[in-house]
Amino acid sequence: MEPIPYNKPFLCGNEIKYIRDAVKSGKISGNGMFTQKCQRYFEDKYHYGKCLMTSSCTDALEMAAILSGVKEGDEVILPAYTFVSTALAFARQNATLVFADSRADNPNIDAAEIERLITPKTKVIVVVHYAGFVCEMKRICQIAKSHNIMLIEDAAQAFDSYYDGKAAGCFGTMATFSFHETKNIIAGEGGMLVVNDPKLYSRAEIIWEKGTNRADFSRGKVNKYQWVDIGSSFLPSELTSAFLYAQIEKSGQIQLKRIKLWTLYYKLLKPFEDKGYIALPFHQPEATGNGHIFYIVCKNSKQRKKIADYLGEKQILAVTHYLGLHKSPYFKDSYKGTPLKNCDKYEDTLLRLPLYYELRLEDVKYICNTIGDILDYLNIK
Ligand SMILES: *Cc1c(COP(=O)(O)O)cnc(C)c1O
């Protein structure tokens, strides 16, 4: 058996061709034909407001944090069980980070926790759709609306995920996506900001283009472009968007395969959940997954280590995930909240299994058999 990695970037075939097209066109900086094709695709297919391609989801989150207008003294509620970038963008605006716990039944932020943490200073709620399963948006949108708090979705993992028939990225005032090589569709490094509030469209473009009104200039609306606001160089070059466009064209095929692999994992591991050995992913009934991550929740960190080590011996790479941000070296001294027991639980027990386009169905069978062997062994002993 060849070793089975955790992830393997998939090339759809037209990436180099489109990059060559971009080079030949003579326009390789940002906001050219491929950037606009990508943006239009997302706006049309998923009914997003305005889409702006970025160099990463981290950049898109930074734009969202700037556009949200949060400043020192304002509070931002966000999950502790997430990637650093979710927090980083708001920390840079000097906002007070208020970390919320995950649900007991899945790693997404718990709506009851959000309600518990709201104060008159709360300006933004950030949700992360972990593993591509959209959070309990019905309740979270109601909470945000009733308290008049801006909602932002870190949808880095939620490309082509749905909740109640609506795509991830449609729920927040803004949403951010990632096309990092570990995600479902990729551009090496890449991301996108979705802006759903038309009042923010024009400022979003300015921040995107280094604080200038260059986008209006390109449209012929002004005859000189100038420095009009803060911003940065958030836009990707045409080479990145050309690569991504090749992935977009094949995204239907990628999604089908990933969901097939995910579903097979679920089916083959279900008997072990039924025996009470491990837990499988649980999600809101309204949420439809996108086959981004398949994870198991082990009984404790010891059991997880034994499973991961045994898989390692069999050349299968399974990996843990986040360490709670509230306990991170950078933040722990500033953390004023209560212990977050569900976040701690996932930190100790969640194990991600290999999932990528070129993984074969027989690989999944082999991985599940191997997990079955170690679980039976551990439970007979
Ligand atoms: C991947 C990821 C990011 C960061 O995306 P980049 O494109 O690498 O900046 C942010 N948040 C979450 C939840 C992620 O999974």
Side-chain angles (χ1 to χ4, degrees):
M1 266 317 262
E2 290 264 304
I4 302 178
Y6 170 70
N7 178 53
K8 190 174 164 198
F10 173 61
L11 298 181
C12 297
N14 275 337
E15 287 86 352
I16 303 293
K17 179 180 182 296
Y18 291 167
I19 288 174
R20 202 181 294 124
D21 290 348
V23 172
K24 274 200 212 139
S25 80
K27 160 86 177 164
I28 53 174
S29 60
N31 201 8
M33 180 187 80
F34 281 107
T35 300
Q36 284 165 21
K37 274 165 92 91
C38 290
Q39 290 174 175
R40 211 169 308 128
Y41 173 85
F42 285 107
E43 287 164 4
D44 293 349
K45 167 130 199 231
Y46 298 105
H47 307 292
Y48 297 146
K50 186 178 187 61
C51 293
L52 292 171
M53 306 315 293
T54 57
S55 301
S56 64
C57 181
T58 305
D59 267 1
L61 282 159
E62 297 230 346
M63 287 185 68
I66 295 170
L67 284 162
S68 75
V70 288
K71 53 186 188 315
E72 193 161 357
D74 293 341
E75 294 176 359
V76 176
I77 297 176
L78 73 169
Y81 194 76
T82 181
F83 190 62
V84 185
S85 303
T86 319
L88 206 53
F90 297 93
R92 274 260 293 252
Q93 297 301 112
N94 294 314
T96 302
L97 304 184
V98 179
F99 287 108
D101 207 357
S102 299
R103 288 176 58 92
D105 58 13
N106 84 39
N108 283 340
I109 195 168
D110 187 340
E113 273 280 288
I114 296 177
E115 276 191 305
R116 180 175 76 80
L117 295 168
I118 286 175
T119 75
K121 291 183 182 163
T122 310
K123 287 283 151 38
V124 176
I125 297 166
V126 190
V127 298
V128 176
H129 306 308
Y130 184 76
F133 284 109
V134 175
C135 298
E136 42 184 328
M137 295 319 286
K138 197 170 161 204
R139 188 150 165 224
I140 294 173
C141 289
Q142 269 166 7
I143 295 170
K145 202 167 165 208
S146 67
H147 290 85
N148 198 22
I149 299 169
M150 184 184 284
L151 183 63
I152 295 175
E153 300 172 73
D154 177 348
Q157 301 176 11
F159 164 73
D160 204 43
S161 291
Y162 294 84
Y163 176 95
D164 229 352
K166 262 168 80 177
C170 285
F171 298 91
T173 300
M174 288 176 274
T176 64
F177 287 85
S178 174
F179 307 114
H180 183 266
E181 75 167 29
T182 51
K183 304 301 202 270
N184 287 23
I185 64 165
I186 62 176
E189 302 277 354
M192 178 173 74
L193 175 71
V194 172
V195 186
N196 290 320
D197 178 354
K199 288 197 288 298
L200 296 174
Y201 287 1
S202 137
R203 186 157 192 241
E205 264 186 353
I206 289 166
I207 288 166
W208 188 59
E209 279 268 29
K210 306 147 191 96
T212 71
N213 55 352
R214 189 173 189 154
D216 270 349
F217 173 71
S218 309
R219 282 190 285 261
K221 274 186 155 174
V222 289
N223 55 14
K224 276 197 187 102
Y225 72 89
Q226 316 180 65
W227 183 14
V228 295
D229 201 337
I230 55 164
S232 189
S233 188
F234 286 118
L235 72 176
S237 92
E238 276 290 283
L239 306 180
T240 298
S241 296
F243 191 107
L244 184 67
Y245 196 70
Q247 295 264 322
I248 283 176
E249 284 185 336
K250 289 276 157 60
S251 60
Q253 182 187 328
I254 293 174
Q255 292 303 93
L256 273 177
K257 176 72 187 288
R258 294 189 74 113
I259 291 168
K260 206 168 181 183
L261 295 165
W262 195 99
T263 310
L264 185 61
Y265 265 128
Y266 194 91
K267 185 178 137 205
L268 297 178
L269 293 174
K270 187 78 178 86
F272 301 101
E273 181 177 58
D274 294 341
K275 286 187 204 172
Y277 295 172
I278 52 171
L280 297 185
F282 171 84
H283 57 86
Q284 308 310 122
E286 296 89 346
T288 344
N290 64 349
H292 177 54
I293 290 175
F294 191 90
Y295 65 85
I296 59 174
V297 180
C298 302
K299 290 257 156 236
N300 49 48
S301 59
K302 255 195 191 148
Q303 187 206 33
R304 178 174 71 175
K305 185 170 187 321
K306 285 185 176 147
I307 297 171
D309 288 352
Y310 186 70
L311 288 170
E313 280 172 34
K314 303 285 175 191
Q315 310 267 40
I316 300 162
L317 187 63
V319 295
T320 61
H321 217 175
Y322 304 125
L323 304 173
L325 292 179
H326 61 306
K327 298 185 300 187
S328 59
Y330 183 74
F331 197 80
K332 66 177 192 302
D333 295 334
S334 319
Y335 185 62
K336 305 267 173 359
T338 56
L340 304 178
K341 68 176 199 307
N342 294 326
C343 173
D344 291 348
K345 178 182 87 167
Y346 295 114
E347 176 176 324
D348 289 342
T349 61
L350 188 143
L351 187 66
R352 293 176 292 159
L353 304 178
L355 181 51
Y356 48 89
Y357 183 82
E358 286 172 88
L359 190 71
R360 299 166 309 171
L361 294 170
E362 57 259 45
D363 295 328
V364 173
K365 285 182 197 149
Y366 172 65
I367 296 165
C368 293
N369 283 337
T370 309
I371 292 173
D373 290 346
I374 181 70
L375 285 174
D376 284 334
Y377 171 78
L378 290 173
N379 285 283
I380 289 162
K381 234 183 7 157

